[in-house]
Amino acid sequence: MSDLVRLEVEDGIGTVRLDRPPMNALNAEIQHGLVAACREAAERSDVAAVVVYGGEKVFAAGADIKEMETMSYTDMVDHSGLLQDFTRALARLPKPTVAAVTGYALGGGCEVALACDWRVAAEDARLGQPEILLGIIPGAGGTQRLARLVGPARAKDLVLSGRFVDAREALAIGLVDRVVPAAEVYTASRELVSRYVGGPSYAVRAAKEAIDRGLEVDLETGLEIERQLFAGLFATRDRATGMRHFVEKGKGPAPFE
Ligand code: CO8
């Protein structure tokens, strides 16, 4: 794994820590590092949920413009799979994920946040897709995930203008889910996913997959995806534990492993 991205595990929660001061600009190394960190978080049984965090000052100010400036069309054709890989790796992580957004989340940085299940933002956070101002468009899923999250009109407003939104507006349009004082962003993000530690991990994974895959297809296909995942859970220990606990009138939450 790259030094620019670390997976730190504590109390069942994995923190994918972006660490490339001053702005966590997403160069190729950090993009590869993100893919590796997501893979490790997916595989490790001591990680039930993931927080993506860029530190106290900034989430990520986007792709590394200095690295991109000299790239040609063919470089981009070769590279553009990677651009979408790191956000795809995050979006497909079969565990709950939250972006803890401090400072700027711009361009590829905003796209990293969009690939998480939820976003917690600092009161002074600023989010946006300013690629248009560089003569390009979002290329790590921004045109697709932003439109799905906030609707096409709002996505076009942000993507076509490149303007930044503050935390209050981001909350109002559904781009972020919670706004907290800057010093509390990381703790609040951990709190948001801590309920999944020691929970029914297979059912959580199936629920996330059913919702995400269902959004990509028509209703009938989505219902079929749900049906298959639902049936599949009858082969899991989670299902046996959860139902037995109810039938035997167990106290408190079921003792999932
Ligand atoms: N890439 C490279 N360097 C950057 C980036 C960046 N995205 N953002 C900031 N920096 C550098 C600055 O050049 C500066 O470096 P130096 O000290 O050597 O001059 C340093 O970070 C500090 O930045 P500023 O002096 O500009 O700090 P300010 O506080 O004045 O401004 C901003 C902060 C508003 C964040 C400003 O730096 C800015 O606008 N940055 C660019 C934001 C942007 O346009 N992001 C989109 C990039 S394109 C993109 O993400 C494409 C996505 C599609 C592919 C996804 C692949 C990852």
Side-chain angles (χ1 to χ4, degrees):
M1 197 182 298
S2 160
D3 289 344
L4 308 180
V5 185
R6 295 188 297 277
L7 178 69
E8 298 164 345
V9 181
E10 194 187 342
D11 298 335
I13 297 173
T15 298
V16 173
R17 173 72 159 88
L18 310 177
D19 191 9
R20 188 174 181 236
M23 288 287 163
N24 289 332
L26 304 163
N27 63 359
E29 185 183 339
I30 208 167
Q31 293 170 38
H32 281 293
L34 253 164
V35 174
C38 288
R39 188 173 305 134
E40 188 182 337
E43 284 169 2
R44 278 179 65 160
S45 58
D46 58 343
V47 174
V50 168
V51 178
V52 183
Y53 183 49
E56 289 170 6
K57 295 202 178 107
V58 69
F59 187 70
D64 188 329
I65 302 168
K66 292 166 190 165
E67 186 181 71
M68 276 196 304
E69 199 216 341
T70 54
M71 285 180 150
S72 65
Y73 169 74
T74 43
D75 289 337
M76 240 340 125
V77 170
D78 292 341
H79 191 71
S80 59
L82 174 61
L83 295 184
Q84 297 194 337
D85 273 358
F86 69 87
T87 43
R88 185 180 290 111
L90 200 46
R92 297 260 168 95
L93 219 156
K95 297 173 182 178
T97 57
V98 57
V101 178
T102 53
Y104 293 106
L106 303 174
C110 190
E111 290 168 306
V112 167
L114 286 168
C116 292
D117 297 319
W118 303 283
R119 286 143 292 280
V120 174
E123 281 164 349
D124 59 356
R126 312 250 288 154
L127 298 93
Q129 299 287 164
E131 288 90 339
I132 204 93
L133 305 173
L134 300 167
I136 56 172
I137 63 171
T143 61
Q144 303 306 302
R145 292 198 179 94
L146 184 63
R148 281 165 172 75
L149 191 64
V150 304
R154 285 173 177 145
K156 286 174 188 161
D157 168 27
L158 297 189
V159 172
L160 274 59
S161 72
R163 74 182 181 87
F164 299 170
V165 292
D166 60 19
R168 185 199 294 241
E169 183 177 358
L171 184 65
I173 66 174
L175 175 52
V176 303
D177 305 285
R178 266 194 82 187
V179 176
V180 298
E184 294 168 23
V185 170
Y186 180 64
T187 321
S189 301
R190 287 185 65 92
E191 266 168 30
L192 194 138
V193 293
S194 62
R195 71 184 62 165
Y196 303 107
V197 178
S201 58
Y202 287 104
V204 166
R205 172 188 183 139
K208 172 170 170 166
E209 188 178 338
I211 292 170
D212 285 343
R213 287 179 55 202
L215 285 172
E216 293 164 11
V217 296
D218 63 274
L219 179 63
E220 273 312 310
T221 312
L223 289 169
E224 181 55 25
I225 290 169
E226 181 187 84
R227 193 178 74 82
Q228 303 243 356
L229 287 163
F230 180 82
L233 289 169
F234 280 72
T236 66
R237 220 169 30 225
D238 281 354
R239 198 277 318 188
T241 304
M243 292 193 180
R244 192 182 318 114
H245 186 73
F246 178 83
V247 171
E248 292 175 357
K249 300 190 187 302
K251 296 253 182 301
F256 296 110
E257 284 167 33

